Amino acid sequence: MHPDTTASLPNSATSQAELLYQAQQRKDRQFRINVSLSWIILLLFLLFLFSGQNFSLGPFTFSTIKIDRLFITDNLVFIAGGLGETIRISLVSITFATVLALLAALGRLSPAPPIYALSTFYVSLMRGTPLLLQIFFFFLALPQLGIILPGFWAGVFALSLNYGAYMSEIFRAGLSSVGKGQREAAIALGMTPGQTMRRIVLPQALRFAIPPTGNEFIAMTKDSALVAVTGFVHELMWRATKVGRAQFHNLEALVMAAIFYWIMTLILTALQSRIETRLARGDR
Amino acid sequence: MASIVQVSNLDKYFGRLHVLKQVSVEVTSREVVCIIGRSGSGKSTLLRCINFLEEPSFGTIEVDGLKVDASEKGKERRQLIHDIRLKTGMVFQEFNLFPHMSVLENVIEGPVTVKGMDRAKAIKLAEENLDSVGLLFKKDEYPNRLSGGQKQRVAIARALTMEPRVMLFDEPTSALDPELIGEVLNVMKKVAKDGMTMLVVTHEMGFAREVADRVLVMADGEIIEDSKPDQLFSKPKDPRTKALIDRYRTGGN
């Protein structure tokens, strides 16, 4: 694979291995180039669909979707202003969700029946009901009990509890990826169960859990759009629907919001794959 | 000679399976005792009961004056078990080095975390032990960069750095490629020569013959023979022992 490994081989073998290696490299590079080109073509096609042009083919005339450019330039700043709130909700929620997920996963390992039950009960309840319902519950149902949460916190609690339940599976898989031998080695050294967990099991489990947690974070930035239903959190989706409805330009508004979400996702995905390669390079 | 390990009337059940039947063993200071037997004979379970990686069902374990009976419960017992673990070093078949720590960190982990030893002091001790297994030059590597034999030598250094009274080896060479077995056995011989009390579960008949003071043969959860290696290998008393030895002889061991 690596060119250096061929250096010690005899001359004829070196050149042959080198040729094969180079051919493989060319093939890989060509594949990547072709994929990128295809992406650009698809993107251009999408742009064309929204170009608002008329053209005729023989007796038929076609027109693509017309976008009101003025609306876009007028409302760009307003809609982009929701980015900060979207990111804020997602960051706060993923933090809480991670803590909840870890606790739920540890609860799953507990020999105490009430703790085990609490963990499975929580996961079942949160995964068994819609996220949208949970958001409404925190925002609209709790006030009936005298608990009034601002829209932001209703959204954060719902997202955290919901994602925490899903992510507990990730941490559970992470914890069980650490072999029994690791615990036994720690115990044989005289470590307490707490020390074993903190020093030996968790560091390995968390490393395992980082990439899928990244996926959940990306998913959450998009699900944060649901918080718009409270009407009090001025994130991307809320802003897009507000101006879209008011001026009957929902098409433009939603396309703008979609582009923002997409770009955010692309950036986060790129970040995540960097983290993943760094972890893969580590000491496993 | 003072006894370091005393196992009395030990029974162990796995579910309905009776894997140890009234086993008693005494190991005195500086003694090297090898335990041989077919797989499933209970030899690993016996070893793992000594530091309570397995809970014995009945019987008592005594290590360096610390005595725990299987029937006891409670906080005091937990403390005793903890203290027994501090007096026993364990080496596993699968090495079980911590993959997220460098070699040096692996070796100082016990003394620093468990004993609260000063880090600098632990590093000094760890480096001495790594040097004695011939791997000081690998101290900053991570375990996945080591060969199986090197991993096992680090694992031995890790156990030694806890300064135990007795070392327990659970088939330390069974997971190794044949050409890597020698380096581990050599380190074990050196540990024995330095006067460490050792209990070794092994299939290496050559090692047992050369290094052991006593060899225990286990079959069906019982110790069927307990003799000096010369006697055991030349005149086995039990036909099962003879079959075991013959099997390894023809197997090239």
Side-chain angles (χ1 to χ4, degrees):
Chain A
M1 282 260 277
H2 201 267
D4 285 352
T5 55
T6 59
S8 61
L9 293 170
N11 242 340
S12 62
T14 305
S15 53
Q16 202 173 15
E18 187 58 30
L19 283 175
L20 282 169
Y21 173 72
Q22 284 174 0
Q24 187 60 44
Q25 289 276 302
R26 266 200 305 279
K27 218 172 142 190
D28 292 350
R29 202 179 314 126
Q30 197 56 51
F31 180 80
R32 282 197 300 273
I33 290 169
N34 289 348
V35 168
S36 308
L37 280 176
S38 308
W39 257 74
I40 290 167
I41 290 166
L42 288 168
L43 201 62
L44 287 173
F45 179 68
L46 196 63
L47 283 176
F48 167 73
L49 280 183
F50 285 89
S51 61
Q53 250 142 37
N54 298 313
F55 58 98
S56 44
L57 270 176
F60 304 103
T61 46
F62 296 93
S63 58
T64 55
I65 302 161
K66 198 167 243 137
I67 290 266
D68 185 342
R69 301 233 168 100
L70 198 60
F71 175 86
I72 291 180
T73 46
D74 280 354
N75 294 290
L76 187 64
V77 174
F78 179 74
I79 293 181
L83 273 171
E85 196 70 346
T86 290
I87 292 169
R88 208 155 71 90
I89 293 179
S90 306
L91 278 178
V92 175
S93 303
I94 198 81
T95 309
F96 285 137
T98 304
V99 175
L100 282 169
L102 194 55
L103 290 176
L106 289 172
R108 239 354 230 282
L109 294 177
S110 170
I115 295 176
Y116 181 91
L118 183 66
S119 156
T120 47
F121 189 83
Y122 155 67
V123 171
S124 172
L125 181 66
M126 288 300 145
R127 303 213 315 186
T129 50
L131 175 56
L132 187 58
L133 185 150
Q134 291 162 9
I135 292 171
F136 273 130
F137 186 87
F138 278 98
F139 189 65
L140 297 177
L142 285 188
Q144 226 170 303
L145 311 172
I147 303 165
I148 299 169
L149 291 175
F152 179 84
W153 287 106
V156 163
F157 284 150
L159 279 171
S160 307
L161 284 166
N162 185 279
Y163 270 71
Y166 280 98
M167 286 166 61
S168 72
E169 285 301 311
I170 294 172
F171 286 96
R172 199 158 76 95
L175 289 169
S176 58
S177 77
V178 182
K180 187 166 157 251
Q182 291 288 309
R183 287 168 225 258
E184 287 187 346
I187 291 168
L189 282 175
M191 287 196 198
T192 62
Q195 287 169 336
T196 304
M197 188 52 79
R198 274 197 310 281
R199 302 281 311 163
I200 306 304
V201 178
L202 276 184
Q204 296 182 59
L206 291 181
R207 169 168 305 175
F208 178 96
I210 286 171
T213 301
N215 284 338
E216 293 296 314
F217 181 61
I218 291 168
M220 187 181 266
T221 55
K222 289 170 290 160
D223 276 352
S224 70
L226 290 169
V227 179
V229 298
T230 62
F232 285 91
V233 185
H234 301 173
E235 44 70 74
L236 269 179
M237 189 66 186
W238 182 86
R239 286 171 187 250
T241 46
K242 181 181 160 72
V243 292
R245 277 180 187 151
Q247 303 173 36
F248 199 63
H249 273 298
N250 283 309
L251 174 68
E252 288 82 356
L254 289 177
V255 165
M256 285 164 75
I259 290 170
F260 281 123
Y261 280 116
W262 195 10
I263 291 172
M264 255 196 313
T265 309
L266 286 174
I267 293 170
L268 289 172
T269 310
L271 264 175
Q272 195 207 4
S273 68
R274 279 187 119 175
I275 293 172
E276 235 169 288
T277 33
R278 184 165 306 172
L279 283 176
R281 231 189 295 139
D283 42 351
R284 269 225 160 245
Chain B
M1 276 272 213
S3 102
I4 296 273
V5 176
Q6 185 146 15
V7 176
S8 316
N9 301 323
L10 202 72
D11 277 286
K12 172 70 185 173
Y13 290 86
F14 283 123
R16 292 196 180 86
L17 210 62
H18 199 178
V19 288
L20 291 178
K21 300 167 185 166
Q22 290 285 305
V23 173
S24 297
V25 184
E26 189 174 354
V27 181
T28 58
S29 182
R30 294 175 162 259
E31 206 176 12
V32 176
V33 176
C34 283
I35 308 175
I36 62 174
R38 286 168 175 260
S39 56
S41 60
K43 53 194 192 315
S44 279
T45 307
L46 171 61
L47 197 74
R48 290 160 57 86
C49 280
I50 292 172
N51 65 353
F52 289 85
L53 278 184
E54 301 290 354
E55 275 287 339
S57 306
F58 302 103
T60 54
I61 305 274
E62 187 175 340
V63 178
D64 201 23
L66 304 169
K67 192 168 176 180
V68 179
D69 193 275
S71 61
E72 289 165 31
K73 291 262 176 298
K75 203 176 163 196
E76 204 178 318
R77 178 183 199 260
R78 274 206 297 280
Q79 184 60 46
L80 274 174
I81 290 175
H82 180 258
D83 292 344
I84 283 179
R85 286 173 179 158
L86 290 185
K87 287 178 184 286
T88 52
M90 185 140 193
V91 175
F92 298 87
Q93 182 177 342
E94 300 290 342
F95 331 125
N96 296 342
L97 293 181
F98 306 130
H100 58 300
M101 298 180 181
S102 72
V103 164
L104 186 66
E105 287 165 342
N106 261 280
V107 180
I108 64 170
E109 180 62 24
V112 171
T113 302
V114 178
K115 288 184 168 175
M117 189 186 279
D118 175 60
R119 208 179 149 82
K121 198 178 157 204
I123 290 175
K124 190 167 168 284
L125 193 60
E127 287 182 341
E128 281 170 21
N129 283 319
L130 281 172
D131 195 27
S132 86
V133 302
L135 288 172
L136 186 55
F137 71 111
K138 292 281 190 189
K139 68 179 173 134
D140 295 320
E141 291 282 11
Y142 280 84
N144 72 336
R145 305 272 299 167
L146 305 180
S147 72
Q150 290 172 334
K151 282 180 192 166
Q152 196 58 299
R153 284 149 65 196
V154 171
I156 293 171
R158 177 173 71 176
L160 287 174
T161 306
M162 288 299 281
E163 301 179 298
R165 291 301 310 274
V166 52
M167 286 280 284
L168 310 173
F169 294 85
D170 189 2
E171 302 200 26
T173 57
S174 296
L176 294 175
D177 291 337
E179 75 266 26
L180 301 177
I181 290 174
E183 60 185 81
V184 172
L185 292 180
N186 284 337
V187 166
M188 288 168 64
K189 282 176 200 166
K190 197 167 156 191
V191 175
K193 201 178 275 173
D194 290 345
M196 178 60 72
T197 309
M198 290 165 60
L199 259 161
V200 186
V201 169
T202 187
H203 293 292
E204 294 297 325
M205 298 298 162
F207 178 83
R209 186 161 203 168
E210 187 185 338
V211 185
D213 298 303
R214 262 163 66 207
V215 179
L216 310 182
V217 184
M218 287 193 73
D220 303 320
E222 290 173 307
I223 295 175
I224 57 169
E225 197 152 342
D226 177 351
S227 350
K228 297 225 175 290
D230 284 346
Q231 192 188 344
L232 185 112
F233 286 105
S234 55
K235 293 194 286 271
K237 286 181 221 150
D238 194 293
R240 285 173 290 179
T241 309
K242 189 174 181 317
L244 187 75
I245 294 167
D246 286 347
R247 206 155 65 91
Y248 280 99
R249 209 165 268 154
T250 54
N253 263 294

